[in-house]
Amino acid sequence: MKHMILAIAALIVGQSANAAISANSSWEEIFAAKGPYQIVAPAVYMGRAIDYTFVCKNGDKLQTLKPVDIVENYTLSSDGPTHFKVVGSEVLSTPINYTQTESFCDQTKGDKTVCKDVTYTGTYPMTVNVKVYTQVGQNQPAKLAFVKAYTVPTCDNASVN
């Protein structure tokens, strides 16, 4: 009898671990889900695009949950392939309220180039909509399963997904 109860309990636990996720699932369940799920979140720009689910709030900044690789590229000859080398790692951050300036240049008549700086200001939202897709078959495109709101955690409460 004891073995039968243990077998039934194991079966129930095994089924719940592989249960389908939904918009009602917690983010912990979604991140831990095994199977054909793909999470597609907006990005925060920190010198490169970082997925919203990989950042936390630290005061008036957003930062990565853990250090990311610093990669340098190089070639052995002018016509050779590009190689990549990890030279370190660092935690990236950006202000929640940001100001960014870009230069746009146009070549006018002759050899004269005219550049104009454009400044953008904005605020990264602390809650964004994240899409979760499921892959039905190998040769099938992924299907949107659901969209769920994701709120950036504070860094002291954040965990790596």
Side-chain angles (χ1 to χ4, degrees):
M1 182 72 169
K2 182 179 175 183
H3 293 294
M4 184 185 295
I5 292 171
L6 290 174
I8 292 171
L11 182 61
I12 291 170
V13 169
Q15 286 179 339
S16 64
N18 292 325
I21 62 170
S22 71
N24 294 326
S25 301
S26 70
W27 277 109
E28 290 77 19
E29 292 170 321
I30 295 168
F31 291 138
K34 304 271 191 249
Y37 300 105
Q38 180 184 9
I39 299 168
V40 179
V44 175
Y45 188 73
M46 299 181 179
R48 59 180 128 165
I50 303 293
D51 189 295
Y52 250 94
T53 64
F54 193 70
V55 301
C56 58
K57 182 180 177 188
N58 187 357
D60 62 350
K61 294 182 178 262
L62 294 176
Q63 72 179 45
T64 54
L65 290 171
K66 65 179 187 175
V68 295
D69 289 341
I70 301 169
V71 179
E72 290 182 355
N73 57 3
Y74 63 94
T75 58
L76 299 175
S77 64
S78 62
D79 59 346
T82 301
H83 300 276
F84 300 94
K85 178 180 176 183
V86 176
V87 296
S89 64
E90 66 182 331
V91 172
L92 301 178
S93 68
T94 189
I96 293 170
N97 299 308
Y98 63 88
T99 300
Q100 179 182 345
T101 302
E102 282 188 55
S103 291
F104 292 95
C105 299
D106 288 322
Q107 192 166 9
T108 58
K109 295 178 183 175
D111 293 334
K112 187 176 179 183
T113 300
V114 176
C115 295
K116 178 182 178 184
D117 287 344
V118 177
T119 301
Y120 302 97
T121 59
T123 300
Y124 285 109
M126 293 299 100
T127 300
V128 294
N129 286 326
V130 174
K131 296 177 180 178
V132 178
Y133 291 87
T134 184
Q135 186 72 41
V136 178
Q138 269 188 332
N139 297 326
Q140 301 283 328
K143 286 185 170 181
L144 180 64
F146 57 90
V147 177
K148 183 175 176 82
Y150 178 82
T151 300
V152 176
T154 57
C155 292
D156 53 339
N157 294 329
S159 62
V160 177
N161 303 323

